[in-house]
Amino acid sequence: MKFLAFYSLILILSLSLYSCKSSDNPAAPEPLDCNTNFNPNDFPAATVSFQQDIFPILQTHNCDNIDCHGGGASSYSVSSAISILGPGEQSQSMGFCDVIRGDPSGSYLIMKLTNAQGITGKQMPYEDTPLTSVEIAVIQQWIIEGARDN
C-alpha cells in the first residue's frame, strides 16, 4: 500500500511540474498550412495574374533578389505563387500566413507592404522604394481572387 501511495505522489508531482513548465514556456506555434487548396468556385473571376501582374511588381522592387526573398537568405520566397503563400519565419512566429486566399487584410504580406502596426521588423521592401498604393491594390485584388497560380 505504501508502495502505491509513493508512486501516486511521484505521478502527481510530475504532472504538476510539467503543467507549470508548459505554462511558463509555451511551445512554438504549430506549423501553419498556408498552402491551402485553390477552388475557383470560392473566389471571383481572375482579373489579376501572378505571372503578368504580381511578379513584375515584386521584380521592380527587387523582392525576388536572391539576397531578399528569391529563395536565398530569407526563409520566405516570392519566386512563385505557391511559395508566396508562406509562411515565412516572421509570419509563422506571429501565427500568420503571408497570404490568406481571399483575405488581403489578414495576409501578413499586405501588413509588411503597408507597414501595419504589429509587424515584426521593417516595412517591405527593405531599403527600396515602398510599393505605390496602386501596386498594393493589385496585390490585394490578386489575394481577393484567391491568389491564383496563373
Side-chain angles (χ1 to χ4, degrees), residues 125-146:
Y126 181 67
E127 296 184 353
D128 201 308
T129 306
L131 275 65
T132 67
S133 58
V134 171
E135 290 170 322
I136 291 171
V138 170
I139 295 171
Q140 288 172 321
Q141 184 61 36
W142 175 70
I143 294 171
I144 287 170
E145 295 172 0

Side-chain angles (χ1 to χ4, degrees), residues 33-39 43 82 85-86 97 99-102 146-147:
D33 182 16
C34 297
N35 186 4
T36 57
N37 290 330
F38 175 76
N39 181 350
F43 303 100
I82 299 304
L85 298 175
C97 289
V99 172
I100 300 171
R101 295 182 192 271

